[in-house]
Amino acid sequence: MIVEELIFSYGYAILFLGTFFEGETFLLLAGFLAHQNYLSLPLVIFVAFLGAIAGDQFFFFLGRINGKRILNKYPFLKNHSGKVNRLVNKYESLFLIGFRFVYGIRIVTPLILGGMSDIKASRFFVFNFIGSVLWASLIAVFGYFLGEAAQEIFGKIKHLEISIIILVIIAGIIFAIARFSFESFRRRRKKRMVGFIAE
C-alpha cells in the first residue's frame, strides 16, 4: 500500500524534520508505528534525539547571532521572554533540561536564551543533550504503548491496521493544526485586548 511505502521510505526523515521544528505529535506517531513494526523504536528514539538537539541548537545560535532583531520584529515571540526568563532565573539547570516539556515554549526558548541571556553555548549544549535524550525516550515509549493499547482494543485484525494508522496520522495533523490555531487565536485576542485598553 502507498501509506506503508511512504512510512518505510520517508518515516525517519519526516520524524527528523518534525522533531526539529515541533516534536510531540510526530514522535508519538513514530512510537505508535514502531509498535506496529513499521519503524524501529531504538532508531525512532535516536532520530528524534538528533532532530530535537539539532533544532534547539539551531534556534539557540540563531538567537545568539540575530535574536534581538527577530524578537523585536515578531512581538508574539518576545511575549514569551518574561516567562522564559523567570523560569531560567528560578530553575536554570532543570529548565534547560526540561523546557521542551513545557507547552507553548519549545521553539522560542532556545531563541530567547540565545538572544537575551548570558548562558554559555557549551552549558546550553550539555543540558540540551540530556533533555533531548529524556524527551525522545519518554515520548517515543509513550507512543509505543499507545500502539499496544490500540492493539488490545482492536485486536490483531490485520485489515484494520492501516486504517488505524491513517486515523492516527489524521488525528496528529488535526492536533498540530488545532494547537497552532489556538496559539494564533490567543495572540490575536491579546492584541485586541491591548488595543482596547489603549483606547
Side-chain angles (χ1 to χ4, degrees), residues 76-179:
F76 72 90
L77 293 176
K78 198 171 184 179
N79 290 341
H80 290 288
S81 61
K83 182 178 181 180
V84 170
N85 288 326
R86 282 195 302 274
L87 289 168
V88 169
N89 291 334
K90 198 169 183 181
Y91 314 102
E92 182 176 306
S93 298
L94 286 174
F95 182 68
L96 291 177
I97 291 172
F99 69 83
R100 66 179 36 77
F101 292 98
V102 181
Y103 177 75
I105 61 170
R106 188 260 197 243
I107 289 180
V108 298
T109 294
L111 189 64
I112 291 168
L113 292 179
M116 301 180 68
S117 78
D118 56 359
I119 292 173
K120 291 181 179 178
S122 57
R123 179 173 174 78
F124 178 78
F125 176 79
V126 169
F127 286 104
N128 187 32
F129 186 98
I130 297 167
S132 296
V133 170
L134 290 173
W135 177 81
S137 303
L138 290 172
I139 303 298
V141 168
F142 184 66
Y144 186 89
F145 282 112
L146 283 179
E148 188 168 313
Q151 186 169 291
E152 287 293 321
I153 294 168
F154 295 106
K156 297 182 180 180
I157 305 172
K158 199 70 181 173
H159 69 274
L160 283 180
E161 193 172 89
I162 291 298
S163 300
I164 293 168
I165 289 169
I166 292 170
L167 285 173
V168 171
I169 291 171
I170 292 170
I173 292 169
I174 290 171
F175 175 75
I177 292 170
R179 203 163 114 174

